[in-house]
Amino acid sequence: MSPARRLARSGRALVTGVPYLWLVLFFLVPFLIVLRISFSEAVMAQPPYTPLLDWVQGEEGEGLKLLLTLNLGSYLRLFQDDLYVVAYLSSLRMAAVSTVLCLAVGYPMAYAIARARPARRGALMMLVILPFWTSFLIRVYAWIGILKANGTLANLLASVGLVDPSFELLYSDVAVYIGITYSYLPFMILPLYASLEKLDPTLLEAAADLGARPWEAFLRVTLPLSLPGIIAGSLLVFIPAVGEFVIPELLGGPDTLMIGRVLWNEFFSNRDWPVASAVAIALLLFLVVPIMVFQYVQGRQQEAGR
């Protein structure tokens, strides 16, 4: 093998190895640590869980033996206690509704940006990304002042006689939907814009020449071609929204139950790290496995279509 080819192969291995190293260090290793804790038992100690591997005294003459102890009680508890089932279902519901709201708001915005003059697209995209320049907590706290009684929204609606000044949306599921939609809206707009910006305008012109009305051209041309952006944006919103903790904690009421709050309580209030780890592993499997199956089916369909 020539030195040039060997150098090129080494360069490709380095370029592809860096992302894999990143995934191993910041995903696989933490995942294995949490998985290990989930098979332990909670104890009043530091750390508050038993080790999986321990040296024990064997029978007479055998000396020390390495014992592996796996506890499945934390996973069984997830199915035996209704709290976790309700929390999972509530989180999925709130994440799904928030994703639909982000899509309903983000699609027209992404479409408008993609159809704007090229000189204005950069400025419009900057406005979409601009909220990220402010602390996430500050932005969520700002919604408290907007949604509380005698807040900005209540005073605005009261000025036109629609509600009483004491009206408030704070500490409700609606406030959580608003907070999640506002916080994750850019994650929906960016992939949608990437798909819509690549759309060939001549396709819409051809549809119009064939007699299609604007709404028919949108449904038959624009919407199907933007489907990859819809799927990518929905995943970028839905997955983090399921495990959201800060927004439900600050904007939601006592009845707003999401799995992120359950995780917090198990880790820091109950100090039951094995159960909390089992909750996290189960949540990860619920989210990752369907996505992997979807990608596998989509890949098979693409191969069959070639």
Side-chain angles (χ1 to χ4, degrees):
M1 181 182 296
S2 64
R5 181 173 297 180
R6 187 181 299 110
L7 181 62
R9 176 174 295 183
S10 300
R12 287 195 298 268
L14 179 61
V15 171
T16 57
V18 171
Y20 283 111
L21 179 61
W22 179 274
L23 290 175
V24 169
L25 291 178
F26 297 102
F27 176 76
L28 183 59
V29 173
F31 172 78
L32 293 177
I33 293 175
V34 175
L35 181 64
R36 170 183 172 274
I37 296 175
S38 68
F39 288 110
S40 303
E41 294 185 15
V43 293
M44 297 296 294
Q46 186 66 30
Y49 55 86
T50 58
L52 295 185
L53 295 174
D54 195 11
W55 292 99
V56 296
Q57 183 67 42
E59 298 180 1
E60 184 177 355
E62 293 184 356
L64 295 178
K65 296 170 57 177
L66 188 61
L67 180 64
L68 172 64
T69 305
L70 295 179
N71 175 37
L72 300 178
S74 299
Y75 289 97
L76 295 176
R77 183 174 171 182
L78 301 183
F79 300 96
Q80 296 172 349
D81 194 336
D82 293 340
L83 171 66
Y84 303 103
V85 177
V86 173
Y88 278 123
L89 295 178
S90 176
S91 299
L92 293 174
R93 172 180 58 84
M94 301 195 75
V97 173
S98 301
T99 302
V100 173
L101 293 175
C102 284
L103 180 60
V105 177
Y107 198 104
M109 295 177 64
Y111 187 87
I113 296 174
R115 290 293 171 265
R117 295 197 302 270
R120 298 180 56 188
R121 293 176 187 173
L124 294 175
M125 289 303 299
M126 180 63 68
L127 293 177
V128 173
I129 303 174
L130 195 61
F132 287 119
W133 294 7
T134 307
S135 171
F136 174 75
L137 281 175
I138 293 177
R139 287 186 281 131
V140 176
Y141 271 113
W143 278 105
I144 296 179
I146 295 174
L147 300 176
K148 69 179 182 179
N150 296 307
T152 305
L153 180 62
N155 291 332
L156 179 63
L157 295 178
S159 64
V160 295
L162 294 179
V163 297
D164 189 80
S166 60
F167 170 79
E168 73 171 348
L169 288 175
L170 192 60
Y171 308 128
S172 65
D173 289 350
V174 176
V176 177
Y177 291 137
I178 293 174
I180 295 178
T181 302
Y182 165 76
S183 299
Y184 291 101
L185 185 60
F187 294 105
M188 179 67 74
I189 294 177
L190 294 176
L192 283 174
Y193 168 77
S195 294
L196 293 171
E197 194 269 338
K198 298 176 183 178
L199 185 63
D200 189 354
T202 59
L203 296 176
L204 299 177
E205 296 176 0
D209 293 339
L210 293 174
R213 298 178 181 178
W215 64 270
E216 291 177 329
F218 173 79
L219 292 178
R220 296 186 178 184
V221 178
T222 304
L223 189 60
L225 292 178
S226 63
L227 191 59
I230 295 175
I231 296 175
S234 298
L235 292 177
L236 288 175
V237 173
F238 180 81
I239 292 176
V242 171
E244 180 61 50
F245 166 74
V246 175
I247 296 175
E249 183 70 17
L250 295 180
L251 302 182
D255 296 332
T256 303
L257 183 62
M258 293 189 69
I259 201 63
R261 179 178 290 185
V262 174
L263 272 172
W264 172 273
N265 291 333
E266 294 293 352
F267 265 118
F268 299 102
S269 299
N270 300 336
R271 297 279 293 175
D272 195 338
W273 287 24
V275 170
S277 299
V279 171
I281 294 296
L283 177 62
L284 182 64
L285 293 178
F286 289 158
L287 295 177
V288 171
V289 172
I291 294 174
M292 294 177 62
V293 173
F294 171 78
Q295 290 181 341
Y296 174 78
V297 173
Q298 191 178 38
R300 293 293 296 271
Q301 292 177 348
Q302 291 177 352
E303 292 179 358
R306 293 178 180 175

